[in-house]
Amino acid sequence: MMSAKIFVDGQWMTPVNGATLDMVAPSTGEKIGTIARGTAEDIDRAVNAARRAFEGPWGQTAAVDRGRLLSKLAQKILEHEDELTALEALDTGKALKLARNDIRAVARYFEFYGGAADKLHGDTIPFLSGYQVMILREPRGVTGHIIPWNYPAQMFGRTLGPALAAGNAAVLKPAEEACLSCIRLTELAAEVGFPDGVINLVPGIGEEAGAALSSHPDIDLISFTGSPEVGVLIQKAAAENHVPCVLELGGKSPQIVFADADHSKAIESIVSALVQNTGQTCSAGSRVLIERSIYDQFMAQLTRRFKQLRAGPHDMDLDCGPLISKVQQERVMGFLDRAKADGIEIAAQGQVDAAASAEGFFVPPTLYRIVPREHELALDEVFGPVLAAIPFDDEADAIRLANGTDFGLIAGVWTDSGARQMRLAKAIRAGQVYINGYGAGGGIELPFGGFKKSGHGREKGFEALREFTVAKTVVFNHG
Ligand code: ADP
């Protein structure tokens, strides 16, 4: 694999300054490879290549042909499912079954957007007599993509699928903590025949390659997934050039359980939506809000289930893996230490398997009982396998609590009452609301994105195609 290179204008090349970064396996702390450490000059070369591609034949490619290329890539990914699964698991530390799911998802992104490419229609508008107006949906042009380390392969498909289907040429800056699958996927994309310059990949660190991409004057749209803090930096940099941004910035998503819900079903979903990817999921259901009348009974059941959770290296395929890095492990342990100092009671903890390496970045899955509403565990994104339980009094209180953080990404509502389901779906300020279910990570067809500090703009589904295109109004005065 071309791991220490950048991919620009259809060529794998050494970054201008020749610098590299070491990649470490989260399960063991061992070095597993090197990647290129691209800088502003490399980003500039990539943006120029994308611009040439967009202004060249790619800009004239029929939608059906773009769609076919994406579909071919989907097929190619499935042919390499085992290899990509092993690579993703090693690089991120996630359990093999989850990595496999991610690889199927990236194939599904290209399948979905391959099929959608020629189904994106413009509009006509009734206007004055003697006129005809049509709205064309045109690609933005050159799109910049900055993605995180938690789902590198899935993010590759989520962000590039709609951008390429819509006819843009792209520059992708993957995360420095994990990006081996993105490098391999780029190789596969080149093999299926995407023209030179349509997909450019510049690995590197955020403050260098990422900052250069977000501040580049010749980008037409930035799509970013990551932390709210970096989201602000990206928006500010892009604003200097009046470049629009689609931002997905995480959450503190609630699972809301009413007394009349199916408890067993809710518990399975709550646990899996939290521990999936070891809590390192923007849409992790990291707060469980429980109606007070059933609080003790529900917590007893949840506690029993939580105690069964096991964390271990990716190849043991357990409930949780390690966190991505030492830095993240220390961040999450900081939450646990402060909760202890603040006297917040742990209701249950899973186990880190005895076979797990002491050099791996493990944290035991932890459930907290009755977290005070103003505590950081109730308000801040932990990005680890940590669940905060909070009782509520009635429906109005549940809605207040659900909406009571800076975030608004997704929510799960567990109740049998149809009217209450509808009231909560309308009252909750989040980009996705699930009724008697929860969709962390899934649903390629389903528009996804935030309210408030969870970001703005929408990914997935047809909404993403709208983001990666722009409306042009053409007015004919035919008399
Ligand atoms: P996380 O907290 O999940 O690591 P970050 O927001 O730090 O998320 O990183 C997400 C992506 O943003 C990564 O690809 C990272 O390299 C990039 N990034 C980090 N800092 C900057 C920055 N100042 N400008 C542009 N991109 C950045």
Side-chain angles (χ1 to χ4, degrees):
M1 194 172 62
M2 298 291 181
S3 42
K5 308 253 170 162
I6 63 173
F7 187 68
V8 171
D9 212 5
Q11 304 296 322
W12 289 98
M13 51 179 87
T14 307
V16 169
N17 67 5
T20 57
L21 291 167
D22 286 343
M23 301 302 283
V24 166
S27 293
T28 59
E30 284 166 10
K31 183 180 160 185
I32 51 169
T34 47
I35 59 162
R37 178 175 173 171
T39 57
E41 281 177 89
D42 301 305
I43 290 289
D44 195 47
R45 285 197 288 175
V47 172
N48 292 340
R51 177 64 60 193
R52 282 194 300 278
F54 180 68
E55 287 176 357
W58 180 247
Q60 307 303 318
T61 306
V64 61
D65 293 328
R66 293 199 303 269
R68 282 183 180 140
L69 268 178
L70 270 80
S71 304
K72 266 192 183 171
L73 179 54
Q75 194 52 42
K76 190 90 172 169
I77 291 167
L78 291 176
E79 285 161 16
H80 289 77
E81 183 183 309
D82 290 348
E83 175 207 339
L84 286 163
T85 296
L87 188 62
E88 187 76 333
L90 177 69
D91 196 22
T92 61
K94 66 180 71 187
L96 283 165
K97 57 180 179 277
L98 185 61
R100 185 169 299 281
N101 197 42
D102 287 2
I103 300 309
R104 290 182 182 162
V106 59
R108 175 81 185 109
Y109 275 111
F110 287 109
E111 180 186 50
F112 179 86
Y113 288 109
D118 59 356
K119 294 163 192 73
L120 184 67
H121 300 164
D123 246 327
T124 61
I125 293 184
F127 192 49
L128 305 173
S129 161
Y131 283 82
Q132 180 61 45
V133 177
M134 58 187 196
I135 309 294
L136 305 179
R137 288 223 72 91
E138 297 191 339
R140 297 260 182 188
V142 175
T143 50
H145 306 255
I146 301 176
I147 61 171
W149 42 260
N150 55 347
Y151 292 88
Q154 278 216 47
M155 288 303 313
F156 183 95
R158 193 203 286 185
T159 194
L160 291 184
L164 300 173
N168 299 281
V171 178
L172 174 66
K173 207 299 280 174
E176 52 270 50
E177 293 86 351
C179 63
L180 297 181
S181 61
C182 290
I183 295 171
R184 187 71 185 114
L185 287 163
T186 302
E187 287 177 341
L188 297 178
E191 281 176 31
V192 303
F194 278 94
D196 295 351
V198 172
I199 300 174
N200 302 277
L201 178 83
V202 183
I205 68 170
E207 294 79 0
E208 295 173 2
L213 185 55
S214 56
S215 61
H216 200 288
D218 200 29
I219 291 282
D220 297 302
L221 177 85
I222 291 279
S223 172
F224 169 75
T225 301
S227 59
E229 299 74 26
V230 174
V232 171
L233 296 178
I234 292 201
Q235 276 194 111
K236 283 185 175 166
E240 291 290 334
N241 300 309
H242 296 276
V243 171
C245 298
V246 174
L247 302 176
E248 198 267 274
L249 307 175
K252 187 73 184 177
S253 298
Q255 295 264 24
I256 309 165
V257 186
F258 286 90
D260 64 350
D262 176 336
H263 294 183
S264 303
K265 203 168 138 209
I267 281 172
E268 271 319 301
S269 172
I270 288 166
V271 170
S272 65
L274 184 267
V275 298
Q276 143 167 306
N277 212 34
T278 319
Q280 304 167 114
T281 304
C282 314
S283 50
S286 55
R287 295 185 288 157
V288 55
L289 316 181
I290 306 164
E291 191 162 8
R292 208 176 287 282
S293 61
I294 55 155
Y295 193 81
D296 289 338
Q297 170 204 345
F298 190 84
M299 277 301 279
Q301 243 183 300
L302 187 56
T303 299
R304 268 199 301 281
R305 179 70 189 85
F306 223 83
K307 281 185 177 154
Q308 297 164 355
L309 293 172
R310 293 286 173 277
H314 59 281
D315 45 7
M316 286 184 76
D317 227 357
L318 301 176
D319 305 298
C320 287
L323 296 181
I324 190 75
S325 63
K326 184 113 204 117
V327 171
Q328 288 299 321
Q329 184 191 31
E330 283 168 2
R331 243 191 88 258
V332 173
M333 287 310 295
F335 276 97
L336 268 57
D337 292 344
R338 291 191 294 279
K340 188 173 181 189
D342 295 340
I344 298 177
E345 188 191 343
I346 291 178
Q349 237 172 0
Q351 297 290 320
V352 176
D353 194 276
S357 161
E359 307 305 314
F361 311 129
F362 296 97
V363 171
T366 306
L367 169 65
Y368 283 99
R369 190 193 307 281
I370 314 197
V371 172
R373 296 179 178 209
E374 298 310 317
H375 194 269
E376 63 173 8
L377 278 181
L379 297 173
D380 295 345
E381 190 174 36
V382 177
F383 229 58
V386 177
L387 182 57
I390 307 171
F392 67 82
D393 296 322
D394 54 21
E395 189 177 310
D397 192 34
I399 293 169
R400 209 166 24 245
L401 254 176
N403 288 336
T405 73
D406 287 344
F407 297 100
L409 193 57
I410 90 170
V413 178
W414 297 89
T415 174
D416 271 355
S417 157
R420 174 178 281 157
Q421 292 169 357
M422 189 58 81
R423 286 194 298 272
L424 266 93
K426 290 185 172 176
I428 290 172
R429 283 171 52 76
Q432 288 188 341
V433 180
Y434 287 84
I435 308 297
N436 292 333
Y438 197 85
I444 275 114
E445 309 85 343
L446 311 180
F448 175 74
F451 283 54
K452 303 188 279 182
K453 284 190 185 169
S454 289
H456 49 73
R458 291 292 177 265
E459 300 183 290
K460 304 188 179 183
F462 267 72
E463 287 291 322
L465 286 171
R466 299 183 70 81
E467 300 285 0
F468 283 108
T469 54
V470 64
K472 181 188 278 177
T473 308
V474 183
V475 183
F476 294 88
N477 177 354
H478 54 69

